[in-house]
Amino acid sequence: MLSGLKDRVQVKTILNTESHLEGKEVTLAGWVYNRRAHGNLLFIDLRDGTGIIQISIHKDKVPQKVFKDVERVTRESSVIAKGVVRSDRRAPGGYEIDLKDFHIEGLAEEWPLPIDAGVDVLFDKRHLHLRGEKQTLIMRVRATVFDAMREWFKQNSWTEVHPPIIISASVEGGATLFKMDYFGEVAYLTQSSQFYLEAMIQSLEKVYCINPSFRSEKSKTPRHLTEFWMAEAEAAWMDLEDITRVEEQLVSYICQVVAERHRKDLETLGRNPDDIGSVKPPFDRISYREAIERIKKKGMKIDYGDDMGADEESKLTEDLHKPMFVLEYPKDLKAFYHLPKPSDPSIVMCGDCEAPEGYGEIIGGGQRIHDKDTLIKRIKEDKLKPADYEWYIDLRRYGTVPHSGFGLGVDRLVRWVCKLDHIRATIPFPRTMTRRVP
Ligand code: NSS
């Protein structure tokens, strides 16, 4: 352990009344979040990895050198502070520290992010911007979303698997593939791990993965990243309704866990935790046809057969309080692998899950084609080469079964849960059409 940090206590422990640290001397290590002066009295808000606490410094009660150091310390300097814990109802967390000793570890240069910094400046300096209170809370909620997903899958006997990121053929159409030189051959970054999950259900039946996915989408919208995180699941012997039930249970579990573990954080972010905590199955299910009718009634110009974009989905979901499924799209709007509806092959057995309050699509999924000849026909209809999908077609040659799956856009879910304007705030270092630094 670093010398001088032997008695270190983290902020969360001090603020927890059950730690009974009142009157005790403690060592804190962290960063200067804020500093204020009232004549002979200085205040520092000290931040560590667990929270923020106020430190008060009386000119008369500390050695001159300590007071001078506090006077010169700058915002975001890293410091070690020793002091006595005092309960104070006026202090933000109910406790504050009376400073005794102070050491500046790294004196920070002038903080380059002014209060009124615009979005571009904040994201140019994202490595620093991430220290903000709101950004920290979002990262905590995001981590809990990942925890909750793994908990739910584990509780329901799904096996986590690890598909490759470097792939050889498109899943969601060639237009959005990131291409790279692979020792003189062509390879791509994965758009979705779906096909690899489909290869693993014959041995494990219910599998999932949580992976980054990549799409070179020229979309400058508040819900598109070029590198985003998808939680994908695939199960043998499940049809569209079975997998839809899986999706609503998973989403509800995530929402309830986040609402329970992050009540205060959500409030700080401007999200009423009860909005999220009340999300429970079943979610409404409507057909694509019905969705188009609803959007039309709300005054937008759209016809049966048109794709729903962000604006249309916003309209469709603006009055909802919990997610809703839109099922059975025309086949021309979806990738080739979706199962055609037996009674009307112009429609496919797919389902998108739409988040409420205008947030729109968070999940795409459905039942897959499990018949070899139908699959080859659909690959050709989409002007793709069956040869590129040889191993995928193979899965239909050896013990094929009806099966279904889905992909949940985790960043989009975090955006909705945290009530954020833009998806870029959900991920530490967003990648968009115009950003790959830092
Ligand atoms: O294209 S999807 O709708 N579906 C698939 O990729 C399937 N192959 C998944 C599967 O069945 N295993 O994408 C799934 C979700 C979609 O609903 C969004 O929530 C999210 O992935 N998604 C994105 N999030 C952020 N940025 C971008 N560009 C993006 N594209 C999809």
Side-chain angles (χ1 to χ4, degrees):
M1 186 181 295
L2 288 170
S3 66
L5 288 186
K6 208 158 46 53
D7 305 321
R8 182 179 178 208
V9 181
Q10 287 188 294
V11 170
K12 194 173 163 188
T13 311
I14 297 173
L15 298 184
N16 180 354
T17 42
E18 291 180 12
S19 311
H20 300 295
L21 286 171
E22 200 178 343
K24 302 246 162 66
E25 185 170 301
V26 294
T27 301
L28 284 149
W31 292 264
V32 175
Y33 193 60
N34 195 4
R35 205 201 51 188
R36 282 155 290 140
H38 294 286
N40 282 346
L41 190 58
L42 300 178
F43 292 105
I44 285 179
D45 292 330
L46 183 103
R47 183 193 76 239
D48 71 8
T50 64
I52 296 176
I53 195 163
Q54 181 170 292
I55 302 179
S56 60
I57 307 102
H58 259 275
K59 189 167 188 175
D60 306 337
K61 293 193 187 160
V62 291
Q64 212 183 355
K65 166 155 188 337
V66 168
F67 196 79
K68 281 229 152 74
D69 276 345
V70 176
E71 268 187 318
R72 79 183 171 99
V73 78
T74 46
R75 182 172 169 197
E76 288 303 328
S77 293
S78 47
V79 299
I80 298 172
K82 256 193 212 328
V84 175
V85 180
R86 182 158 54 79
S87 128
D88 185 334
R89 264 189 295 139
R90 289 161 309 171
Y95 291 94
E96 68 170 33
I97 307 290
D98 280 330
L99 190 74
K100 298 283 173 220
D101 201 3
F102 192 67
H103 166 72
I104 301 175
E105 184 71 36
L107 187 67
E109 294 178 24
E110 191 185 343
W111 190 242
L113 298 177
I115 295 267
D116 57 354
V119 166
D120 285 343
V121 174
L122 293 178
F123 281 86
D124 283 346
K125 297 274 183 200
R126 181 68 168 167
H127 49 295
L128 304 179
H129 177 223
L130 277 172
R131 300 184 195 186
E133 188 188 8
K134 191 172 165 190
Q135 284 65 44
T136 307
L137 295 183
I138 296 168
M139 293 309 132
R140 289 216 175 95
V141 171
R142 182 182 172 96
T144 298
V145 167
F146 280 75
D147 287 346
M149 291 191 298
R150 289 214 164 82
E151 283 166 25
W152 189 88
F153 280 120
K154 193 172 163 64
Q155 283 164 19
N156 291 280
S157 307
W158 295 70
T159 304
E160 180 167 3
V161 297
H162 305 102
I165 300 295
I166 300 172
I167 58 152
S168 56
S170 84
V171 180
E172 297 296 328
T176 63
L177 281 171
F178 274 115
K179 195 171 168 180
M180 64 172 152
D181 172 52
Y182 195 78
F183 307 104
E185 308 258 350
V186 172
Y188 309 100
L189 292 175
T190 186
Q191 296 168 310
S192 157
S193 300
Q194 176 188 327
F195 294 175
Y196 295 93
L197 297 189
E198 285 185 64
M200 300 191 78
I201 57 167
Q202 278 82 5
S203 52
L204 295 163
E205 286 204 24
K206 297 199 302 187
V207 294
Y208 76 98
C209 67
I210 305 178
N211 264 357
S213 291
F214 304 85
R215 299 207 186 162
S216 89
E217 249 157 340
K218 294 203 170 68
S219 307
K220 284 191 195 155
T221 77
R223 58 179 210 161
H224 281 93
L225 293 167
T226 50
E227 175 177 334
F228 62 99
W229 283 76
M230 229 204 289
E232 295 186 77
E234 197 72 30
W237 312 109
M238 281 198 190
D239 65 12
L240 175 61
E241 176 53 24
D242 295 329
I243 203 70
T244 304
R245 257 185 260 133
V246 169
E247 292 168 33
E248 65 190 357
Q249 285 172 33
L250 172 65
V251 170
S252 301
Y253 182 80
I254 298 168
C255 287
Q256 284 159 33
V257 163
V258 170
E260 193 186 305
R261 297 182 198 167
H262 291 277
R263 280 201 83 76
K264 265 180 67 189
D265 298 342
L266 291 177
E267 277 164 7
T268 307
L269 291 169
R271 155 68 75 203
N272 178 350
D274 297 331
D275 294 347
I276 296 299
S278 61
V279 170
K280 292 194 177 77
F283 301 167
D284 282 345
R285 291 144 168 71
I286 64 170
S287 65
Y288 162 86
R289 186 180 288 281
E290 163 77 16
I292 296 296
E293 288 310 314
R294 286 193 192 183
I295 297 168
K296 264 190 188 161
K297 273 208 192 104
K298 284 171 165 273
M300 286 185 99
K301 209 186 133 5
I302 190 166
D303 289 313
Y304 186 93
D306 292 343
D307 209 354
M308 288 190 276
D311 293 344
E312 289 78 14
E313 286 177 11
S314 278
K315 262 275 167 269
L316 179 66
T317 61
E318 62 187 0
D319 306 321
L320 300 181
H321 299 294
K322 69 174 178 176
M324 173 177 83
F325 290 105
V326 179
L327 307 173
E328 301 192 359
Y329 282 63
K331 80 170 173 7
D332 295 340
L333 294 181
K334 292 289 174 182
F336 65 85
Y337 54 73
H338 291 285
L339 180 76
K341 187 174 181 169
S343 60
D344 177 2
S346 74
I347 286 173
V348 287
M349 302 302 282
C350 66
D352 287 354
C353 181
E354 304 278 333
E357 302 168 15
Y359 284 98
E361 183 189 333
I362 50 170
I363 299 183
Q367 189 165 347
R368 324 302 191 188
I369 296 171
H370 62 282
D371 171 67
K372 184 189 69 176
D373 295 334
T374 315
L375 182 65
I376 294 173
K377 184 166 152 264
R378 286 292 294 120
I379 291 174
K380 287 182 180 158
E381 277 175 10
D382 268 16
K383 313 240 169 338
L384 298 165
K385 291 190 223 116
D388 288 341
Y389 295 91
E390 213 26 57
W391 70 261
Y392 185 62
I393 297 167
D394 244 6
L395 302 175
R396 278 75 185 161
R397 291 194 180 100
Y398 304 97
T400 188
V401 290
H403 63 285
S404 299
F406 65 89
L408 163 66
V410 189
D411 321 274
R412 287 193 184 178
L413 180 135
V414 173
R415 179 182 169 224
W416 158 48
V417 165
C418 293
K419 209 171 177 171
L420 303 173
D421 293 340
H422 202 290
I423 196 167
R424 66 182 158 228
T426 67
I427 188 161
F429 295 98
R431 297 291 179 250
T432 62
M433 208 183 132
T434 52
R435 180 167 299 283
R436 59 188 164 78
V437 184

